[in-house]
Amino acid sequence: MTDTPIELDKHRGMAAQKATDIRRVIADVEANAKLLRDKQGVVEIEILTAPATSWSEAVAKARYVLNLYSAGLPATDTHHRDLVSAVLADLTRLAGEAT
């Protein structure tokens, strides 16, 4: 027995190597998606439990919720997408006036 690792990829075909690479990439993406979901959960708990202490915080919370809502809209629902855009523009304008 030797302490030198054997490079198994050399003994496999190119298709098998690519399949392994794809599985590794998918595993990385899934791990990152889980981290994002976990962070999203933390943000949403914070939004639910901590009341806004300023208009800018309230605007940030509203933007977050509107962006979540907008992300779930079908691409063909241009009417609701336009409504969300208009409200976000209003929030941006009014937040600038409040400071």
Side-chain angles (χ1 to χ4, degrees):
M1 185 158 161
T2 66
D3 290 335
T4 307
I6 298 171
E7 183 69 38
L8 295 176
D9 284 343
K10 292 179 185 177
H11 301 287
R12 296 184 310 146
M14 189 55 113
Q17 289 179 33
K18 286 187 179 195
T20 299
D21 290 342
I22 290 170
R23 283 193 303 275
R24 288 178 182 152
V25 168
I26 290 171
D28 286 346
V29 167
E30 288 172 349
N32 288 335
K34 183 184 179 329
L35 286 174
L36 288 175
R37 281 191 305 274
D38 292 347
K39 287 181 182 179
Q40 182 178 1
V42 169
V43 167
E44 291 175 1
I45 289 169
E46 180 75 20
I47 287 173
L48 284 170
T49 59
T53 59
S54 67
W55 279 107
S56 62
E57 285 182 17
V59 167
K61 287 180 172 190
R63 277 191 186 121
Y64 178 83
V65 172
L66 285 170
N67 284 325
L68 278 178
Y69 170 71
S70 179
L73 291 173
T76 57
D77 191 353
T78 56
H79 177 70
H80 286 119
R81 289 184 177 281
D82 290 345
L83 284 171
V84 169
S85 294
V87 171
L88 288 172
D90 287 343
L91 289 172
T92 300
R93 179 178 50 81
L94 292 172
E97 291 175 5
T99 57

